[in-house]
Amino acid sequence: MAGLQPRIQGRPLRTVILVGLLCTMLGAVLAGMRAPPVPLADNLLYDAFSSLNARSEADDRIAVVDIDDASIAAVGQWPWPRYRMAALIEKIASAQPASIGVDILFAETDQSSLASMRQRFRRDFGLDIGFTGIPDGLEDNDGYLGHVLSKAPVLGSVYFTFMEHGADTGCLLEPLRVAGAIGALHPPQAGGVLCNVPPIQRGLSSAGFINTQPDPDGRLRRLPLLIEHAGVLYPSFTLALVMMHESADSIAIDRDFYGLFIRVGGLSIPITREGHALLRFYGPARSVTSYSAKSVLQSAGIPSPLAGRHVLVGSSAAGLNDLHHTSSDAHLSGAETQATLISNILAGSVPRVPSWNGFYHIFATMAAGAAVTALFACVTPAAAALGALLTGAFFLGMSGMLFRLEHVYLSAAGPVATAFILLMALSTILYIAENRRSLASLRRLVRAQRQTLSSMAAVAEKRDPYTGGHISRTQKYVRMLAEQLARRGTHGISQEYIELLYLSAPLHDVGKVAMPDSILLKPGQLTESEFELMKKHAEHGHAIMEAAVESSDGGEFLAMAKEIAMTHHERWDGSGYPRGLRGTEIPLSGRLMALADVYDALVSSRLYKKPYSHEKAREVIVDGSGTHFDPDIVAAFLACEEEFDRIARGSDDPPND
């Protein structure tokens, strides 16, 4: 923009630059501090990008066996007896899946088991009851489920707590073997861990935590992959299953241009410094291949669609409280959430936010603000507005393109919001400045118009030494009459009309400039032929004002002056001149001036007559109601006649007709 030159100068330019810089700095500070509006806007943009770039279907190597509401209704109230869960696991295992992940925590002993019932009777009643005909292993449901789990590669669930003294069942978890840039991680620090009951925990091949981490708006967009407990790192359910997929017993923390990632076998999983992985949903519930637990249990043979797949067992039943609000569905089950991330990892499409995103966000916000400010300072407002929109679109489009091609999300909320806010703010400033300039121009035009009127009236005044006081007094008279009519609500008179009338009135006798001095300055009464010539001043005034109107851009007030000059000697009964107009054929301005002109002529002195008293002038005007004057205007005169008298007495100027 070095070649651009400022198109606005002075105070507006300084205001534009100052407001632009202040808004830009404020936007950069909010972006750097991650103030509440910023992450909210970023999350909404992330959701939009995810939806626009969603794949049509999840990885077919993943399947979910869903304990849905139909399954619970068919099998019985939850929790199911552990032998029922064992039957479900056996059915799935018969299909020889790649692995089985159970996204359900069995933290309490199965109270429906025969062994549990025997213990309760011994404790509560002192009775030692026995059972006959029970196959070996079925007295203890938990032990039986553990035995079934041990015969297949089954991944189980644990849950970490974050209270100062968290729950701990005393289970032995296998720590995660980690190499690489461990010091760059800052994972959540758990206070305790909740495991399955020991018989079940022992039957699992491995276990991973099922903790989730919703964003402040309640939506789930990321899952933690690592949690630290007692100084040791543990894997999430998802990470543990991916390790099973890759036959890996350890992971490595590495970094690239964008930030940290976990290396598991041949897979790379982008993570944040807290050890979180972003989710990229495929659509609403059941976008991941799902089978109802009811259909699996009731199938006559082996459920062959599960063969070779990683099968996750979970629940979408509302009563089990394992539903999550996501950008794709407000009720997505925990198992499908885990399956989504596993599918993302296997497809290599886990989104990531660069470790330097915060610095980029500040820089982009400042760049957008500076660009928009420079545009408003250097080009036309319309071009600047278009440039501001293109600036916001550039940062938004760049972020969207990078997300689509590289699965990388760069924050765009700051630059887009800053460009839009500056568009609004600077457009408003320029609009106000332009309005002020227009108002100043209008005021100059009004002053010029008034000076034009004064100059034209002065011409008539110089020709006729009696005109000056007459002009001032009649100007006041017509305004009083018009205001009185306006108060009565007749004739539709507005304040604007009254102002135009007041400005135009001084020009009612401008046509006298065309009269010969021998007539205009004659000390006595005019002869009949001289008076006929004198009457031509009305038409001369009309012609003068006609020429002025044609050469003027703002001729509204001159048009009224033309109207008054032509018609102020017309009479209500049609006996006036120059056209003999009758009644309302005479414009209201002419009818008002007719009364004001006659009253001033009556109460003013002439070389050929003495001034009438106000009472005598009043009598003449009342007698002329309906003949010479409009009756409504006569009524208005009577309502303010004392003010007429005061104006007439206060003037020392010698009057003239």
Side-chain angles (χ1 to χ4, degrees):
M1 296 185 181
L4 296 178
Q5 297 296 323
R7 286 179 174 261
I8 54 176
Q9 303 291 335
R11 187 172 180 179
L13 176 60
R14 292 193 297 272
T15 302
V16 163
I17 294 175
L18 179 60
V19 171
L21 291 177
L22 288 176
C23 288
T24 299
M25 293 306 298
L26 178 60
V29 169
L30 292 176
M33 295 176 60
R34 300 291 293 170
V38 176
L40 175 62
D42 260 340
N43 285 337
L44 293 177
L45 285 176
Y46 177 83
D47 292 343
F49 290 163
S50 295
S51 298
L52 290 173
N53 294 282
R55 293 172 57 190
S56 59
E57 58 183 14
D59 196 302
D60 60 5
R61 290 171 286 183
I62 312 296
V64 172
V65 172
D66 184 16
I67 303 174
D68 52 12
D69 288 306
S71 300
I72 292 177
V75 175
Q77 183 177 354
W78 187 265
W80 285 350
R82 300 289 154 80
Y83 64 80
R84 184 66 66 188
M85 286 299 304
L88 179 62
I89 299 299
E90 282 185 312
K91 197 75 170 180
I92 296 171
S94 68
Q96 296 185 336
S99 66
I100 302 173
V102 181
D103 184 28
I104 300 171
L105 182 62
F106 304 101
E108 296 179 351
T109 302
D110 185 352
Q111 297 300 315
S112 67
S113 126
L114 298 181
S116 297
M117 294 172 62
R118 177 178 293 162
Q119 290 176 0
R120 286 203 306 275
F121 271 81
R122 185 182 297 120
R123 182 186 66 241
D124 297 340
F125 305 106
L127 298 176
D128 191 3
I129 62 174
F131 302 95
T132 60
I134 305 300
D136 291 340
L138 288 185
E139 289 189 9
D140 181 3
N141 290 352
D142 294 326
Y144 179 67
L145 177 56
H147 172 70
V148 171
L149 293 173
S150 67
K151 295 191 296 182
V154 179
L155 169 70
S157 303
V158 297
Y159 186 85
F160 283 102
T161 61
F162 292 87
M163 296 180 291
E164 186 175 353
H165 299 289
D168 198 327
T169 61
C171 63
L172 296 177
L173 293 177
E174 185 175 348
L176 181 63
R177 295 171 56 193
V178 185
I182 302 175
L185 287 173
H186 296 275
Q189 305 291 312
V193 60
L194 190 62
C195 294
N196 299 284
V197 293
I200 296 176
Q201 192 73 28
R202 288 193 296 267
L204 298 170
S205 299
S206 61
F209 62 81
I210 54 174
N211 298 70
T212 58
Q213 182 63 56
D215 285 326
D217 62 357
R219 288 190 175 185
L220 188 66
R221 296 182 179 87
R222 67 198 72 221
L223 287 177
L225 295 185
L226 299 168
I227 286 181
E228 186 175 335
H229 174 52
V232 178
L233 285 174
Y234 293 94
S236 71
F237 184 91
T238 297
L239 180 56
L241 192 141
V242 171
M243 291 175 68
M244 293 177 67
H245 174 80
E246 291 294 301
S247 301
D249 59 1
S250 66
I251 66 169
I253 306 298
D254 207 343
R255 67 171 71 242
D256 60 10
F257 175 72
Y258 293 114
L260 297 175
F261 64 92
I262 296 174
R263 194 180 300 281
V264 184
L267 298 175
S268 296
I269 310 173
I271 57 171
T272 65
R273 61 197 301 266
E274 294 81 15
H276 293 170
L278 293 174
L279 286 159
R280 188 171 187 173
F281 295 101
Y282 298 99
R286 296 189 177 275
S287 294
V288 175
T289 304
S290 298
Y291 302 93
S292 172
K294 172 186 174 182
S295 65
V296 173
L297 284 170
Q298 294 178 351
S299 61
I302 298 172
S304 57
L306 303 180
R309 290 181 168 182
H310 297 287
V311 179
L312 276 61
V313 181
S315 176
S316 66
L320 271 64
N321 198 30
D322 190 26
L323 300 176
H324 304 279
H325 188 183
T326 70
S327 60
S328 63
D329 197 301
H331 302 92
L332 200 67
S333 71
E336 187 162 355
T337 303
Q338 302 283 0
T340 296
L341 183 53
I342 295 168
S343 182
N344 292 163
I345 294 170
L346 297 182
S349 61
V350 176
R352 64 192 313 185
V353 176
S355 57
W356 39 264
N357 181 61
F359 296 105
Y360 164 79
H361 201 190
I362 295 172
F363 170 79
T365 300
M366 295 180 67
V372 174
T373 301
L375 284 168
F376 272 92
C378 298
V379 301
T380 63
L386 178 60
L389 293 174
L390 291 176
T391 299
F394 167 77
F395 285 100
L396 186 63
M398 183 177 67
S399 182
M401 188 61 66
L402 192 61
F403 188 88
R404 181 179 183 85
L405 299 178
E406 298 292 332
H407 314 303
V408 173
Y409 177 72
L410 286 177
S411 294
V416 172
T418 299
F420 179 76
I421 290 171
L422 282 178
L423 169 61
M424 297 295 101
L426 299 184
S427 295
T428 301
I429 289 171
L430 293 183
Y431 175 78
I432 292 173
E434 184 62 30
N435 267 5
R436 287 177 176 174
R437 284 195 295 269
S438 298
L439 184 59
S441 298
L442 180 61
R443 287 172 177 168
R444 288 194 296 270
L445 176 61
V446 170
R447 284 197 297 269
Q449 290 174 340
R450 292 186 177 184
Q451 289 170 358
T452 300
L453 287 172
S454 299
S455 299
M456 296 179 74
V459 173
E461 184 178 355
K462 292 298 183 182
R463 296 289 325 282
D464 188 345
Y466 297 105
T467 304
H470 175 70
I471 286 174
S472 175
R473 289 190 300 273
T474 53
Q475 189 178 32
K476 295 173 183 177
Y477 293 151
V478 293
R479 180 164 65 182
M480 278 193 297
L481 290 172
E483 288 174 346
Q484 191 63 229
L485 290 177
R487 280 192 288 272
R488 296 184 177 199
T490 58
H491 301 279
I493 294 177
S494 65
Q495 191 59 43
E496 181 183 5
Y497 179 89
I498 295 172
E499 184 65 20
L500 284 172
L501 181 67
Y502 181 78
L503 292 173
S504 304
L507 294 173
H508 69 282
D509 276 336
V510 70
K512 288 184 178 181
V513 300
M515 293 294 101
D517 288 346
S518 60
I519 294 178
L520 190 64
L521 303 178
K522 184 176 181 179
Q525 284 189 329
L526 301 177
T527 65
E528 184 176 346
S529 61
E530 290 173 335
F531 184 66
E532 287 298 321
L533 186 60
M534 184 64 173
K535 289 196 297 184
K536 296 289 184 180
H537 80 275
E539 294 175 89
H540 290 317
H542 179 272
I544 292 170
M545 298 313 301
E546 181 79 37
V549 168
E550 291 177 357
S551 62
S552 172
D553 291 333
E556 187 175 356
F557 72 101
L558 294 177
M560 182 175 285
K562 177 183 72 172
E563 190 176 80
I564 292 174
M566 185 68 166
T567 62
H568 72 286
H569 285 295
E570 298 287 358
R571 291 171 174 257
W572 184 255
D573 61 3
S575 62
Y577 65 85
R579 295 181 177 176
L581 301 178
R582 178 189 301 272
T584 55
E585 293 176 352
I586 308 168
L588 179 61
S589 59
R591 295 177 350 237
L592 289 166
M593 181 53 70
L595 190 148
D597 193 36
V598 169
Y599 176 83
D600 193 68
L602 291 173
V603 298
S604 301
S605 63
R606 295 289 186 272
L607 292 175
Y608 53 86
K609 80 172 187 68
K610 293 182 179 181
Y612 282 17
S613 67
H614 170 73
E615 289 73 17
K616 179 63 175 175
R618 177 184 185 277
E619 182 180 338
V620 171
I621 287 174
V622 171
D623 286 345
S625 178
T627 55
H628 192 160
F629 309 114
D630 181 345
D632 287 346
I633 296 176
V634 173
F637 162 75
L638 294 176
C640 58
E641 61 174 303
E642 293 181 1
E643 188 67 14
F644 267 63
D645 187 28
R646 186 192 65 76
I647 293 172
R649 291 177 183 277
S651 174
D652 296 327
D653 298 320
N656 184 33
D657 184 13

